[in-house]
Amino acid sequence: MLSGDAVKEVTALKALDGGRDIVLTGSISLAHTLIEAGLVDEYRLFVYPVVQGRGRRLFPDGYEVPRLRLVDSKSFRSGIVLLRYVPA
């Protein structure tokens, strides 16, 4: 759990030995902050077979969309697909 400046804390976590994954779920505003700071090493996107008319975008208008390269995909019997991307 982060308790201070998110960019400083995530930068410090990434500098620790051990190479453990840092996973973010449930906070699009924190995701935007980390994307802008260049701290995202991998995007794991779950695609659900549902059409939604609106919602918060991962890359909203005004944000620079990073070039991404697909490194893995996995589909599930439910129709959900997991896509893993890294910055290109």
Side-chain angles (χ1 to χ4, degrees):
M1 180 171 207
L2 302 177
S3 61
D5 178 280
V7 171
K8 288 181 182 176
E9 289 202 28
V10 171
T11 300
L13 284 171
K14 289 179 69 158
L16 294 175
D17 288 336
R20 298 187 64 182
D21 288 345
I22 301 169
V23 178
L24 168 67
T25 60
S27 177
I28 194 67
S29 58
L30 179 55
H32 290 159
T33 298
L34 299 178
I35 291 167
E36 278 191 307
L39 292 172
V40 178
D41 297 322
E42 180 177 285
Y43 296 85
R44 296 177 188 171
L45 306 176
F46 287 89
V47 178
Y48 292 79
V50 175
V51 175
Q52 182 176 0
R54 60 184 167 163
R56 305 264 327 256
R57 296 176 58 183
L58 182 59
F59 304 112
D61 293 336
Y63 278 69
E64 182 177 335
V65 178
R67 293 185 57 93
L68 300 174
R69 180 174 53 88
L70 181 66
V71 294
D72 191 28
S73 65
K74 180 178 181 180
S75 59
F76 300 90
R77 287 189 305 201
S78 63
I80 296 169
V81 179
L82 168 61
L83 303 170
R84 290 182 45 226
Y85 290 92
V86 296

